Amino acid sequence: MRDKDLYQQILGIERPWAVTHVDLNRAAQGVVVRVARDQRVALKCPVCAKRASGYDQRVRRWRHLDTCQFKTILEAEVPRVQCKEHGVHQDSVPWAEEGSRFTALFESLVIDWLHEASVSGVASQVRLSWHEVSGIQERAVRRGLARRPQIKATRIGVDETSFQKRHEYVTVVVDQDESTVIHVADDRDKAALEGFYKELGTDGCAALKSVAMDMWPAYIGATREYVPDADERISFDKFHVAQHLGDAVDKVRRRENKELLALGDDQLKGTRYSWLTNPENMDPVVAWEFSELRDSSLKVARAWAIKEAARPLWKYVSRTWARKAWLRWYGWAIRSRLEPVKKVARMVKRHLEGILTAVVAGVTNAASESINGTIQQLKRRANGYRNRERFRMAIYFHLGGLDMYPRSLRSTHTKA
Ligand SMILES: [Zn+2]
């Protein structure tokens, strides 16, 4: 039978295994490939590889890659062996990982597709349930994490990210040089980051050259406790400082808009985006309209000017000159009579040394920012995550830089 040979080749099946039957069931749109083990070849214990005696046999099935759109199932009687030392174990098969109901090639295909589409999207493509595909993703991540070598990061970024609409957070630690997520912890409290530092160990913590973060007491506290000379290594990056200033401008705008609307003046209506966009990225027509607002005597225009004035402060190379410039900015901001702006100004002053560290080192946090962008995309694609564990898995899957393919695939790949 030609098709037996064909499947033997496609599946990369070799002695002591061989394809014995290929059954096509047109009504069920399926192919069942039966594989049998040559009984004359001695059995080995899968733990110690020493000779072992046969115990019994069990029929097992694995979903394999479709054959011309026919769902393809691999079926084999797999012996269980009895080792004097290790007891009864199921013999390992070369086409699948232990305990999996899918062949390694099939799992690999699902892993590839999961990089392109959501779990439910892949599930309908490969005719599996959401839970089955999610299970393959979870196993892939566990495999990748188990294989991951000891973390050797020197420049890290720490950030929080929320999932779903409720205020639930995870803490994400990024290796800035590798642009990968190296840790995802529950919540955004001190314990969340402590868990990472504990895993990193004393030597790993001592090897950290910079830790970029938001001005967040929990993260600062954990870092001071675990990282030697923490205050020289902590940097408060541009991205987070700019975010706080943007929020302050928005608060001022909202309040002023309400006051103006009460007087029948709607000039601030629909302008939210303009106040938060960098002028150089603005559409020329919008920019022209915005320039009038910007040059007005509105409170929000004042807040905006202060926010914009902080932008060039990141370009200093000398710590001394940077400090002078930031303090001058602080003086202006604190006299602004705009409470949200003053609040950020005070925050900046309290954290000035860490900001200056970021300025002088040019810590841009570009890796963290792009990773954060990808996380936002994942959230949109998945329509939010049902639980934190699913969210953690997805972050590791897409951003962990992990080696996640089933190991047995390698052998079938190289031999094929
Ligand atoms: Zn053994």
Side-chain angles (χ1 to χ4, degrees):
M1 286 236 347
R2 296 282 308 274
D3 52 356
K4 277 200 313 197
D5 298 340
L6 181 67
Y7 275 100
Q8 185 124 345
Q9 285 224 337
I10 293 171
L11 294 164
I13 284 169
E14 39 186 58
R15 264 176 66 81
W17 297 93
V19 174
T20 56
H21 295 88
V22 177
D23 297 331
L24 177 65
N25 184 333
R26 275 180 213 284
Q29 294 275 295
V31 179
V32 177
V33 181
R34 292 207 167 75
V35 179
R37 192 180 184 284
D38 186 341
Q39 306 282 358
R40 292 162 301 180
V41 178
L43 290 163
K44 286 176 186 165
C45 164
V47 182
C48 65
K50 281 186 196 146
R51 264 187 91 139
S53 53
Y55 184 75
D56 62 1
Q57 309 232 65
R58 290 184 169 191
V59 175
R60 293 203 50 209
R61 289 179 189 88
W62 298 264
R63 169 81 186 271
H64 186 59
L65 306 177
D66 290 0
T67 318
C68 305
Q69 288 151 28
F70 286 99
K71 209 174 191 176
T72 302
I73 303 292
L74 203 66
E75 189 182 283
E77 276 197 42
V78 181
R80 290 202 297 170
V81 299
Q82 188 163 33
C83 171
K84 281 184 190 127
E85 205 183 329
H86 299 102
V88 176
H89 278 277
Q90 181 164 289
D91 195 11
S92 56
V93 294
W95 56 82
E97 284 202 335
E98 204 188 327
S100 177
R101 296 188 296 109
F102 310 102
T103 66
L105 274 169
F106 185 81
E107 282 204 41
S108 302
L109 172 82
V110 171
I111 290 169
D112 286 343
W113 272 346
L114 277 169
H115 283 294
E116 310 297 329
S118 66
V119 171
S120 46
V122 175
S124 68
Q125 260 179 315
V126 297
R127 291 175 282 173
L128 286 182
S129 72
W130 186 94
H131 283 283
E132 284 170 316
V133 174
S134 172
I136 290 176
Q137 186 179 41
E138 201 176 313
R139 268 202 305 285
V141 169
R142 290 194 197 292
R143 217 180 271 131
L145 287 176
R147 282 176 196 163
R148 186 172 70 166
Q150 174 68 30
I151 295 164
K152 284 198 184 84
T154 55
R155 301 190 315 119
I156 62 168
V158 185
D159 211 347
E160 53 168 57
T161 182
S162 67
F163 64 102
Q164 291 198 323
K165 294 193 175 67
R166 285 169 290 149
H167 289 280
E168 288 198 59
Y169 293 87
V170 294
T171 294
V172 176
V173 183
V174 171
D175 181 333
Q176 304 268 21
D177 297 306
E178 298 291 326
S179 289
T180 53
V181 170
I182 49 180
H183 194 79
V184 186
D186 290 353
D187 289 320
R188 50 170 178 171
D189 53 7
K190 192 160 171 255
L193 190 53
E194 279 175 346
F196 168 71
Y197 288 139
K198 280 179 196 158
E199 201 185 304
L200 198 57
T202 316
D203 292 345
C205 286
L208 292 174
K209 291 197 181 96
S210 79
V211 185
M213 60 173 76
D214 192 4
M215 298 169 276
W216 178 244
Y219 293 162
I220 299 169
T223 306
R224 281 189 178 145
E225 218 162 284
Y226 284 85
V227 180
D229 304 319
D231 286 334
E232 287 159 39
R233 289 162 217 274
I234 293 176
S235 64
F236 302 112
D237 55 274
K238 183 180 174 177
F239 170 75
H240 284 112
V241 176
Q243 208 173 36
H244 286 292
L245 281 168
D247 289 347
V249 171
D250 201 43
K251 275 186 192 136
V252 173
R253 179 197 58 83
R254 274 202 311 244
R255 203 171 297 170
E256 193 169 32
N257 183 37
K258 242 184 230 166
E259 290 166 9
L260 289 175
L261 285 178
L263 301 168
D265 179 347
D266 67 353
Q267 61 172 318
L268 282 180
K269 229 180 117 187
T271 64
R272 176 171 189 265
Y273 187 67
S274 299
W275 299 105
L276 302 176
T277 307
N278 288 342
E280 60 267 27
N281 301 336
M282 222 176 249
D283 175 89
V285 179
V286 179
W288 183 74
E289 285 173 0
F290 180 60
S291 65
E292 266 188 37
L293 280 176
R294 200 180 72 186
D295 299 338
S296 69
S297 57
L298 290 167
K299 286 177 194 161
V300 62
R302 202 148 27 100
W304 179 86
I306 294 169
K307 175 191 79 150
E308 287 300 301
R311 291 213 290 146
L313 300 178
W314 293 95
K315 296 197 173 116
Y316 283 86
V317 259
S318 140
R319 199 175 180 103
T320 315
W321 286 102
R323 184 180 286 112
K324 281 183 189 170
W326 275 96
L327 286 173
R328 203 160 48 234
W329 177 87
Y330 167 78
W332 182 24
I334 205 72
R335 286 191 303 270
S336 67
R337 284 170 284 126
L338 303 167
E339 207 37 61
V341 174
K342 284 163 71 180
K343 204 174 154 199
V344 179
R346 282 191 290 268
M347 189 195 269
V348 163
K349 195 168 182 215
R350 271 201 311 279
H351 299 89
L352 188 58
E353 292 311 313
I355 290 175
L356 296 178
T357 302
V359 169
V360 176
V363 176
T364 58
N365 232 6
S368 293
E369 277 178 60
S370 100
I371 282 175
N372 203 27
T374 307
I375 292 175
Q376 301 313 319
Q377 264 176 7
L378 290 177
K379 279 194 269 190
R380 275 196 298 276
R381 199 163 82 179
N383 252 325
Y385 284 90
R386 286 164 221 213
N387 62 57
R388 196 180 261 129
E389 193 49 30
R390 279 289 318 145
F391 188 41
R392 258 165 58 89
M393 282 295 158
I395 294 175
Y396 275 129
F397 184 87
H398 292 279
L399 296 159
L402 301 170
D403 167 16
M404 299 184 288
Y405 291 110
R407 195 59 98 197
S408 45
L409 176 72
R410 284 208 178 143
S411 54
T412 40
H413 249 347
T414 46
K415 280 168 195 163

